[in-house]
Amino acid sequence: MNRLRLLVFAAFLLLGTTRTVAAPPDASPVIVIENATILTVTKGTIEHGSILIKDGKIAEVGPSVKAPKEATVIDADGKFVAPGIIDCHSHIAIEGGVNEGSISVSSIANIAEVLDSDDIDIYRDLAGGVTTANILHGSANSIGGQTIVIKLRWGQPASKLPFEGALPGIKFALGENPKRSNFSVPGQPRRYPATRMGVEETIRGAFTEARDYKNEWDAYNKKVAAGDKSALPPRRDLRLEPLVEVLEGKRYVHSHCYREDEILMLLRVAKEFGFKVRTVQHVLEGYKVADELAAAGVGASTFSDWWAYKVEAYDAIPYNAALMIRRGVVVSVNSDDAEEATHLNQEAAKAMKFGGLTHDEALKLVTINPAIQLGIDKRVGSIEVGKDADLVIYNHDPMSAYAVVQKTLVDGRVLFDRDKDIAGRAALEKERKDLLAKEKAAAKKPDEKSGARKPGSPQKPEEKPGEKAKPPSGDDAAASSGKGGAR
Amino acid sequence: MKIPLFGRVALPLWFLLLSLCFGAATPAQRAEATYAITHAKIFTLAGSTIDDGTLVIKQGKIAAVGANAEVPAGAEVIDGKGLQVYPGLFDAVTQMGLSEISAVGATVDSSETGNFNPDVVAATAVLPSSEHIPVTRAAGITEVLAVPASGGFDSSGGRGIIGGQASALSLAGWTMEEMQIKRSVAMVLNWPTIQTRTFDFSTFTRKERPYSEAKQEYDKQVSELSDWIDRARHYAQATGHGGPSDFERDVKLEALAPVVRGQLPLLVFADRARDIRNAVEFCDKQKLKMILAGGEQAYKVKELLRSKGVPVILRPMLSLPPEEDDPYDSLLTQPAQLAEAGVKFAIGSFDNSFARRLGQNAANAVAHGLAYEQALKAVTLYPAQIFGLADQVGTLETGKIANVIVTNGDPLELTTDVKYLFIRGQLTSTDNKQKRLYEKYLNRPKP
């Protein structure tokens, strides 16, 4: 882990944020971005426009702004400014596995408790313009773990990552993954459910319990309110509590799904228990039931052009996002993968080619639409006065494969700066070499003196740290070396 | 095909296009037809670009190209005004036709079991009616290398060491015989790696073992490989000199004979700098022709690659760096670095369902410093040259196979459409399973 700390530390030096990180939020810098093509997303495009950033918020946007003298000026002549990208399906910043896969209802597990602010993928995705991500549990269970929306505040501790005020979620999963079609655990019997029928019953069973549990508490609270001092509270059930929150509309359901039949199944079960499905994730056959999704007011978060990695992805089409948009569904394009997240702008642009979305409609797929889906559109997703200054500066129009992120701002702070990243590489490399040399020298010493190896000292100098085989960021057994994801 | 274009198309072609639109399953039609694309901007990739030129296609080949090329009598004319003509893109490493649905083993034929399979040939198992083929060619990719044991989405198990022979094919045809450009183009060698930590996808668990154990296995594998090469050399010598009458035939050693004779290059899969160095050293010592495939850290050994003249098929730029403290853009900037160092390279998708991202990957390399022309050649001419197929594909020159795309813009850009697609000189539909599903559900009545 030394290496990682070095990297994090060096990144602070690089970004020059060593001081500001420790400073209170009100000390955020005043910044003016000038001469930019501003893609506001909700209010059209402003050519040669400026943005004034104060207290981490967008204070002014327009052809010109009244900038105070002390403001730091970023000249964005010839460049494009867009809202920070919002990734509605991510597995970055998670310590350890993303799946509590042992049981089919793992609602007791909570991603918020295992956030890892040192994950290098936070920085990499930031370098791809991502500023907000919906961090999801894996798809091994019909009802999976609790989920959380974070901002990519690279350099801040895990406690500072959660998006303030964003409702937490819970992951559901339908189809091949929860029924374990594509893999088995040796030595273990098949886990229930093993069919799509069983997936429905697993969800129905859990919500039947949750409804009874809620009724117990409601009855108890009623008694207490009526002044009954002898009333005994029900025994707390940490597995059912998040489901009660779903029933009460305090927690969003984000459900992994593929096939048209299972999508409609979930809508029926939700209706039966009176809860809303906030988003359906992947939803590669969403285009087949777009009207039903629109009528139910369910958001759809999909891939740009992934297909054929399993049977339920064989009818996937790259026109999915556009077709659902045309039928009135709020659609986002997500990554499910730390690498895919680095070019979500490009993935959104594909909906212009496949299905004929306009430039701005395509850009919405990774900005305001996911913000709406996550219930954070009052704070982020477009460039408007009063919104968080989560911005990306590109050297070209972000709806092009030639666009490269130059700077990414979160809460009005520049957390990624391409020029500074490049300029700092030589120093980083030198520091890395020095540290490795130092470590090697330290490892040799005990041998020379006593002939005994110090416990814990490196025994395998040739084993390079990067050699670990990192599993895909998601959890699909079918995932291979290329694109890893919960898919 | 969008309606306004029909106005520009000569009448016979109009009917042909209609028949293509409705005869969806037809991969190609009328081999004997002659076509002329006129008044188009032609990027020949052999010499300078022709701003207003004509390209003539006859009997499957490029018959003429130039500013003043004559339109033969009876040719079906496509008015290319406002359009651009390029050689079709060449995806240098794929599992095309070898894998349909990667999670379903029954549909996957990409990796044979066992460590040494020099005798297996990709062309044998390529499914001409794979749904991946029309989807891929709609992205302007007209030819690919189908490579056994090349990983991608499809290989969840081991890939062995000598994986078999890669085949070059055009992406249209009723049979493999029609599609095939060359049956045996390269011999796949998955360079052994010293792996202390692995991930087992069948159980979804990490496995660890001591370095010494991993190194021991690596040494054993390299020594086995040396042994195979030595035996193949002896075998080739013996068969080359007639040999005794009771000579026992060995199909595997026979398959390796062209490799040890230097006629068939090894396509060596290696990503880390150390592995690349070891592989180059091995091939140099054994006097084997090497093409590197993968090469995530090729930039770290670029001088070695240049001095030994080893070309590289790069895996997608849109991949994360292998090591946590690599620069975040190391794979994106690598093509520019290799070009500057004088290392020849092409780009491959190393996949099947992601093959259509080939142009996107090349564009991302341009965005990170690679000259545009180099990027375009890295997905057309350079793979053809590296695999010894440049006399057949890769540029728009007279006599080459007419694998040609006509686009409304830069073929590497995300939003560009392929307006006309010629494969082996035949006007080929860009229709595919996904387009058909789109049209079907676009017309679904409101419930």
Side-chain angles (χ1 to χ4, degrees), chain B residues 55-63 88 142-143 170 392-393 395-397 399-405 421-428:
Chain B
L55 181 100
V56 179
I57 295 167
K58 205 173 172 178
Q59 287 169 338
K61 298 282 166 70
I62 296 169
T142 54
E143 67 265 357
S170 292
Q392 298 188 72
V393 290
T395 60
L396 299 179
E397 289 177 280
K400 286 200 181 180
I401 298 172
N403 284 355
V404 179
I405 54 173
L421 178 68
F422 291 90
I423 298 183
R424 299 184 299 113
Q426 303 178 25
L427 186 59
T428 304

Side-chain angles (χ1 to χ4, degrees), chain A residues 314-368:
Chain A
Y314 199 46
D315 268 8
I317 61 174
Y319 308 86
N320 193 33
L323 206 155
M324 288 193 287
I325 287 274
R326 290 286 174 260
R327 296 268 173 157
V329 183
V330 175
V331 181
S332 63
V333 166
N334 69 47
S335 77
D336 191 14
D337 175 84
E339 192 283 323
E340 185 86 350
T342 65
H343 47 88
L344 273 179
N345 55 311
Q346 295 179 35
E347 300 316 308
K350 291 175 183 175
M352 296 162 71
K353 176 186 169 99
F354 297 108
L357 292 193
T358 64
H359 178 281
D360 285 8
E361 283 176 324
L363 185 55
K364 282 181 179 178
L365 296 173
V366 290
T367 53
I368 194 72

Side-chain angles (χ1 to χ4, degrees), chain B residues 258-392:
Chain B
V259 174
V260 296
R261 288 193 185 112
Q263 295 155 344
L264 189 66
L266 280 171
L267 186 59
V268 184
F269 285 74
D271 280 299
R272 294 187 176 278
R274 178 179 62 193
D275 297 327
I276 298 170
R277 269 195 301 268
N278 289 343
V280 171
E281 194 184 305
F282 178 88
C283 291
D284 197 41
K285 208 171 123 194
Q286 294 274 11
K287 295 189 170 52
L288 304 171
K289 215 171 136 191
M290 171 175 170
I291 300 166
L292 176 64
E296 279 182 344
Q297 292 182 334
Y299 67 99
K300 292 188 175 176
V301 288
K302 57 192 176 190
E303 280 313 314
L304 176 71
L305 294 169
R306 187 198 51 78
S307 66
K308 299 290 177 192
V310 176
V312 188
I313 313 297
L314 290 172
R315 65 174 67 253
M317 283 76 254
L318 297 174
S319 307
L320 288 182
E323 292 186 24
E324 225 168 329
D325 45 6
D326 282 334
Y328 78 93
D329 60 355
S330 66
L331 269 79
L332 291 156
T333 54
Q334 163 156 283
Q337 292 183 53
L338 293 181
E340 203 190 329
V343 177
K344 182 140 213 170
F345 65 89
I347 302 168
S349 70
F350 288 61
D351 203 84
N352 215 11
S353 54
F354 283 111
R356 62 176 155 200
R357 291 189 174 184
L358 185 66
Q360 182 185 8
N361 276 289
N364 275 268
V366 175
H368 290 83
L370 181 67
Y372 178 79
E373 193 186 319
Q374 295 280 319
L376 195 55
K377 286 182 175 171
V379 291
T380 51
L381 177 60
Y382 294 159
Q385 288 174 338
I386 290 169
F387 294 123
L389 304 168
D391 57 330
Q392 298 188 72

Side-chain angles (χ1 to χ4, degrees), chain A residues 218-292:
Chain A
D218 287 350
Y220 164 75
N221 287 329
K222 209 171 159 187
K223 277 186 195 167
V224 171
D228 182 350
K229 292 202 168 91
S230 66
L232 281 176
R235 183 191 170 94
R236 277 186 73 189
D237 188 324
L238 300 181
R239 187 179 69 110
L240 294 178
E241 273 182 12
L243 302 186
V244 170
E245 288 170 357
V246 169
L247 291 171
E248 292 171 340
K250 294 173 186 164
R251 181 177 291 278
Y252 289 153
V253 172
H254 301 294
S255 183
H256 161 120
C257 58
Y258 281 82
R259 248 167 53 174
E260 52 174 325
D261 54 309
E262 66 196 20
I263 297 166
L264 296 186
M265 174 278 281
L266 183 65
L267 296 187
R268 280 193 301 272
V269 173
K271 199 172 174 190
E272 179 184 331
F273 288 91
F275 68 86
K276 283 262 183 204
V277 177
R278 187 70 187 187
T279 68
V280 276
Q281 299 279 333
H282 310 324
V283 62
L284 296 186
E285 290 191 12
Y287 67 95
K288 295 183 178 177
V289 290
D291 293 319
E292 285 79 0

Side-chain angles (χ1 to χ4, degrees), chain B residues 194-206:
Chain B
I194 305 173
Q195 282 199 333
T196 53
R197 291 175 220 183
T198 53
F199 191 77
D200 185 345
F201 282 95
S202 65
T203 58
F204 230 72
T205 49
R206 277 172 230 253

Side-chain angles (χ1 to χ4, degrees), chain A residues 379-390:
Chain A
R379 288 269 306 274
V380 292
S382 63
I383 300 180
E384 292 178 69
V385 172
K387 282 199 170 183
D388 295 6
D390 293 0

Side-chain angles (χ1 to χ4, degrees), chain A residues 413-463:
Chain A
R413 290 189 175 86
V414 180
L415 294 191
F416 168 75
D417 185 321
R418 180 161 167 80
D419 290 339
K420 284 188 181 167
D421 183 292
I422 292 168
R425 284 176 195 179
L428 258 182
E429 186 57 27
K430 188 185 175 298
E431 195 170 356
R432 180 174 181 268
K433 277 188 179 148
D434 290 350
L435 277 175
L436 282 173
K438 203 173 154 188
E439 203 177 333
K440 265 189 185 168
K444 267 185 191 165
K445 268 186 186 167
D447 280 332
E448 285 163 7
K449 280 181 186 166
S450 63
R453 193 181 286 278
K454 204 169 126 191
S457 66
Q459 298 187 11
K460 304 167 279 184
E462 277 183 75
E463 187 187 353

